[in-house]
Amino acid sequence: PRSVPAAPPQVGSYREISHESLSLFRLLEPRIEILVLGTGDRVERLHPAVLKQMRECGIAVEVQDTPNACATFNFLTSEKRMAAAGLIPP
């Protein structure tokens, strides 16, 4: 059996987004197809390896500033898409 962390690490900055901090999203059932990440007041670039690891798990990642990430998440769920959001307050 695979061990699951009790809680993923807390993220307060886009610099702290890592493969480990996104682990919960890879475990969700039913599986999500897209993860919307809000990086605060501005769109920030994530490490390419983090994005690649999520793609390899079959999860697309959309990175936006947090207000737009909220709107995107709401739109995706209204379209019945399997989406999740990770949001850092602006």
Side-chain angles (χ1 to χ4, degrees):
R2 186 166 62 162
S3 66
V4 177
Q10 294 293 316
V11 173
S13 163
Y14 76 94
R15 291 179 193 89
E16 298 170 354
I17 297 173
S18 66
H19 185 68
E20 181 183 37
S21 71
L22 299 177
S23 62
L24 175 67
F25 297 108
R26 293 189 303 275
L27 299 173
L28 294 175
E29 289 292 337
R31 294 188 57 82
I32 61 171
E33 60 185 273
I34 186 164
L35 172 61
V36 182
L37 293 176
T39 56
D41 287 325
R42 301 180 356 201
V43 178
E44 303 289 354
R45 294 182 62 115
L46 300 186
H47 195 284
V50 172
L51 300 174
K52 181 179 183 236
Q53 290 166 335
M54 293 303 283
R55 278 194 311 271
E56 288 172 351
C57 294
I59 300 171
V61 178
E62 180 69 33
V63 181
Q64 300 177 340
D65 60 89
T66 298
N68 284 315
C70 291
T72 298
F73 174 76
N74 288 336
F75 174 78
L76 290 168
T77 57
S78 75
E79 295 284 313
K80 308 292 187 226
R81 302 281 301 273
M82 297 304 297
L87 306 169
I88 297 171

